[in-house]
Amino acid sequence: MAGGNSNYWEDLRKQARQLETELDLKLVSFSKLCTSYGASHDDHRGRGSDTTPLLSSSSQDRMLDTLGVEIEQLLAKLTSVNDRMAEYTNTPSVTSLNAAVMHTLQRHRDILQDYTHEFQKTKGNFLAVREREDLLGSLKKEIETYKSGTGVNNRRTELFLKENEHLRNSDRLIDDTISIAMATKENMTSQRGMLKSIQSRVNSLANRFPAVNSLIQRINLRKRRDSFVLGGVIGICTILLLLYAFH
């Protein structure tokens, strides 16, 4: 085999290092382009349609596609070089240097694996961003097409939207009213439990002191009257809120 000498091994190492350098530079450029692609589209949507990116979407797509193909070709070449280096390590003439040679081969394999992983991750992110942009662009076109309809349709749509917003506000108001009622109920239940506990203790004392019993009866009578009035007020407020919500 022609690769049975050290010059062949050094040539392979030289090719591997050269390909790794090219890959490193192109991966950096590819990553920057992918980042600027997403940022430029987000900024364009944020500032409105009166501004345009420095590069059009089609130009960025072509640049990224071209650069992606170049990176894939370099990865394929580096894989081929690593395979030839692996074949070289299996030749009998390098048995005495096998440990050092295998260490070098493993290092180049690790570099190839890292570059492959980085490229696939960056490319995956870019494809996800482009798919999202295509979806948003299609949706924007549909909205613009819909808005370009007749004035009657636009007016009808506006009325539908207002009515929908009114219904949503009514739902929120009803939910708030129910929440207030539930909170009031819980509060009254808590107070009722506390009053029962106090009443139990007072009754115990009243049984011991007859003079106090008469006073407790008058307090209970007034408490029942106040509870009735409070319940009526809460019911009236709830009815008024519900009437307001549906008007």
Side-chain angles (χ1 to χ4, degrees):
M1 178 179 177
N5 53 60
S6 59
N7 290 334
Y8 180 73
W9 173 255
E10 291 300 326
D11 289 341
L12 291 176
R13 289 188 60 188
K14 182 178 179 181
Q15 293 178 35
R17 287 195 296 268
Q18 182 178 356
L19 290 171
E20 289 166 359
T21 300
E22 293 183 29
L23 273 169
D24 184 67
L25 295 175
K26 288 187 179 296
L27 283 172
V28 171
S29 299
F30 187 72
S31 178
K32 289 181 178 180
L33 278 175
C34 290
T35 302
S36 64
Y37 182 89
S40 63
H41 284 73
D42 291 340
D43 184 65
H44 177 51
R45 288 197 307 272
R47 290 184 295 175
S49 59
D50 294 336
T51 59
T52 56
L54 295 177
L55 290 176
S56 64
S57 298
S58 58
S59 299
Q60 287 182 310
D61 287 341
R62 286 195 297 269
M63 291 177 62
L64 285 165
D65 290 339
T66 301
L67 191 54
V69 171
E70 294 176 356
I71 292 175
E72 289 176 347
Q73 292 175 349
L74 289 173
L75 288 173
K77 291 180 181 179
L78 184 57
T79 301
S80 176
V81 173
N82 282 351
D83 291 341
R84 282 185 286 165
M85 293 172 71
E87 293 177 0
Y88 175 80
T89 59
N90 294 326
T91 58
S93 59
V94 296
T95 303
S96 59
L97 300 176
N98 193 45
V101 169
M102 289 300 297
H103 175 73
T104 301
L105 175 61
Q106 186 60 43
R107 183 166 58 84
H108 286 292
R109 282 177 171 173
D110 291 341
I111 294 174
L112 173 60
Q113 184 178 2
D114 291 342
Y115 284 161
T116 302
H117 177 73
E118 180 181 352
F119 172 66
Q120 290 176 348
K121 180 180 178 181
T122 306
K123 183 179 179 180
N125 293 336
F126 160 67
L127 292 177
V129 171
R130 184 162 65 179
E131 182 178 357
R132 183 193 66 181
E133 294 299 330
D134 292 341
L135 179 61
L136 292 176
S138 176
L139 180 61
K140 184 179 179 181
K141 288 181 180 179
E142 291 180 2
I143 293 175
E144 290 177 350
T145 301
Y146 181 76
K147 287 183 177 180
S148 63
T150 62
V152 174
N153 290 334
N154 290 338
R155 178 59 180 169
R156 187 174 300 169
T157 302
E158 183 179 354
L159 292 175
F160 284 154
L161 291 175
K162 288 183 178 180
E163 184 63 23
N164 182 57
E165 184 64 22
H166 177 70
L167 291 175
R168 291 176 60 186
N169 291 334
S170 299
D171 289 339
R172 284 196 295 267
L173 184 58
I174 293 173
D175 291 338
D176 292 341
T177 303
I178 294 174
S179 298
I180 293 173
M182 293 299 294
T184 303
K185 180 181 177 182
E186 292 177 359
N187 188 28
M188 293 182 65
T189 302
S190 176
Q191 291 181 4
R192 183 181 303 170
M194 184 182 301
L195 290 175
K196 284 184 179 180
S197 176
I198 295 174
Q199 184 178 9
S200 177
R201 295 180 183 178
V202 173
N203 287 336
S204 178
L205 292 173
N207 292 330
R208 297 181 183 180
F209 303 97
V212 180
N213 192 22
S214 176
L215 177 61
I216 292 174
Q217 290 179 356
R218 290 196 297 272
I219 293 175
N220 288 336
L221 179 61
R222 185 171 183 179
K223 183 181 67 176
R224 286 195 295 270
R225 184 187 62 188
D226 293 343
S227 298
F228 177 78
V229 172
L230 178 60
V233 171
I234 293 175
I236 292 173
C237 289
T238 302
I239 293 174
L240 288 176
L241 287 173
L242 292 174
L243 289 175
Y244 175 78
F246 287 101
H247 284 283

